[in-house]
Amino acid sequence: MASENQTGIAAFFLLGLSDDSELQPFLFGLFLTMYLVTVLGNLLIILAISSDSHFHTPMYFFLSNLSFTDICFSTTTVPKMLMNIQTQNKSISYTGCLTQVCFVMMFAGMENFLLAAMAYDRYVAICQPLRYTVIMNSHLCGLLILLSLFISLVDALLHRLMILRLSFCTDREIPHFFCELAQVIKLACSNTLVNNILVYLLTSILGGVPLLRIICSYIKIISSILRIPSAGGMYKAFSTCGSHLSVVFLFYGTVLGVYISSAVTHSSKKTAVASVMYTVVPPMMNPFIYSLRNRDMKGALKKLLWRTFSFS
């Protein structure tokens, strides 16, 4: 098969979730609704936190950053998919594809690190409550956000640079609704051993270390909660981290589901459908989890909506 170097590539082609033309209007309406719910829900969380001084705490600081990351994560993939469906044009430029790969990797990494930072915040709040304000000061919170952003950005740029060295075949069809790193590497005609090693190595380290931090935090949290003598005290302590634990299960559960699906099935379409579960569903569901399970957040959202509609 003929190959081309990176400078001669005009575009890749995103095949999407289905080739059925009758299904396209349904997919467009479904993903447009999911995207609008994602943006609106997370934007309301950010506005509720910023407008109420009671929420100017480390936990809600991390939550507002998580909501912003979720908006960016969805915006990286869904609008391009909607535009392709609407225009019936499946192409994405070479530069656009690499940029999408870069942003998907960066925001996925940010989500990963933010969940670990939030787990550490809950650990300090429950296991070391008297030192909470000393440990979780504004400098540490800011440093954790900047460090998460820096590591995620370096990881994304490194993968992007490694793709630039690859030569691609004339077949440039990506059986996905966005430029996923693994799918782009599969299209290369040149040797991809270094790329694959880098993917597995960085995924293991940058995905495994935050997950291990979350698991260790919750082992200590559960151990501390079980030592509380009253059932009411145990429930109160655990309720403060129930929303975060739900988001953790949703994010890592869907990512694990995608990897299991790709390992079990050889159908690219099924893998693409499964990937929706971690790129689109968690950002949409996170605001519902935090607003429905958190009484304070629910009250703040009601106040925000009441003020908005009363002024209008």
Side-chain angles (χ1 to χ4, degrees):
M1 184 177 288
S3 65
E4 304 174 17
N5 62 27
Q6 58 268 29
T7 57
I9 298 173
F12 289 99
F13 298 94
L14 300 172
L15 300 185
L17 299 176
S18 174
D19 295 324
D20 188 351
S21 59
E22 295 181 357
L23 196 60
Q24 299 308 307
F26 170 75
L27 289 174
F28 182 85
L30 176 64
F31 279 88
L32 177 62
T33 302
M34 294 174 75
Y35 178 66
L36 292 176
V37 169
T38 299
V39 173
L40 181 60
N42 284 290
L43 191 59
L44 284 173
I45 294 287
I46 294 171
L47 291 174
I49 292 172
S50 61
S51 63
D52 194 332
S53 59
H54 291 96
F55 291 122
H56 295 174
T57 62
M59 181 177 74
Y60 291 107
F61 172 71
F62 290 130
L63 176 57
S64 62
N65 278 275
L66 181 66
S67 293
F68 178 74
T69 300
D70 283 336
I71 292 174
C72 295
F73 197 12
S74 291
T75 302
T76 301
T77 57
V78 178
K80 178 58 180 174
M81 176 192 182
L82 295 174
M83 187 177 73
N84 285 2
I85 293 174
Q86 184 67 20
T87 60
Q88 297 183 354
N89 181 5
K90 297 181 178 181
S91 67
I92 180 171
S93 68
Y94 175 77
T95 303
C97 187
L98 264 62
T99 302
Q100 194 176 62
V101 167
C102 188
F103 278 116
V104 166
M105 295 297 295
M106 185 177 75
F107 292 123
M110 276 294 294
E111 183 116 3
N112 195 31
F113 287 117
L114 282 170
L115 290 175
M118 293 170 80
Y120 179 70
D121 171 75
R122 292 299 83 206
Y123 156 72
V124 177
I126 293 173
C127 300
Q128 302 184 52
L130 298 179
R131 300 185 59 209
Y132 179 75
T133 54
V134 176
I135 296 174
M136 297 304 297
N137 56 69
S138 58
H139 296 292
L140 178 63
C141 293
L143 181 62
L144 287 174
I145 295 296
L146 290 175
L147 190 61
S148 300
L149 178 60
F150 176 74
I151 295 174
S152 300
L153 183 59
V154 169
D155 174 52
L157 290 175
L158 185 57
H159 284 298
R160 190 180 190 277
L161 288 172
M162 292 302 293
I163 293 175
L164 286 171
R165 57 179 283 276
L166 298 177
S167 297
F168 291 89
C169 304
T170 53
D171 178 17
R172 296 190 297 273
E173 293 183 343
I174 299 175
H176 225 295
F177 67 96
F178 70 95
C179 288
E180 189 187 42
L181 177 62
Q183 297 293 336
V184 174
I185 293 174
K186 282 181 181 179
L187 294 179
C189 289
S190 53
N191 193 318
T192 60
L193 178 62
V194 177
N195 293 76
N196 288 322
I197 290 174
L198 189 68
V199 169
Y200 289 124
L201 180 64
L202 292 181
T203 300
S204 300
I205 296 173
L206 301 183
V209 172
L211 180 59
L212 188 62
R213 174 72 260 183
I214 292 171
I215 292 171
C216 290
S217 294
Y218 274 103
I219 289 174
K220 293 177 181 178
I221 287 171
I222 293 171
S223 177
S224 180
I225 288 175
L226 291 176
R227 290 198 296 268
I228 298 175
S230 66
M234 291 174 63
Y235 175 79
K236 185 178 180 181
F238 191 74
S239 64
T240 62
C241 52
S243 298
H244 174 258
L245 197 57
S246 300
V247 171
V248 167
F249 277 121
L250 179 63
F251 180 73
Y252 286 103
T254 51
V255 171
L256 182 62
V258 170
Y259 279 106
I260 292 175
S261 174
S262 60
V264 172
T265 181
H266 296 289
S267 171
S268 300
K269 290 294 181 185
K270 289 182 180 179
T271 303
V273 172
S275 67
V276 172
M277 295 303 296
Y278 84 90
T279 56
V280 181
V281 175
M284 181 185 69
M285 293 302 298
N286 288 352
F288 290 102
I289 293 172
Y290 274 100
S291 60
L292 293 176
R293 293 184 60 90
N294 190 312
R295 187 178 300 174
D296 294 334
M297 181 57 67
K298 194 187 298 183
L301 288 172
K302 287 180 180 178
K303 288 180 183 178
L304 178 65
L305 292 173
W306 182 83
R307 286 201 301 267
T308 303
F309 287 113
S310 63
F311 282 120
S312 61

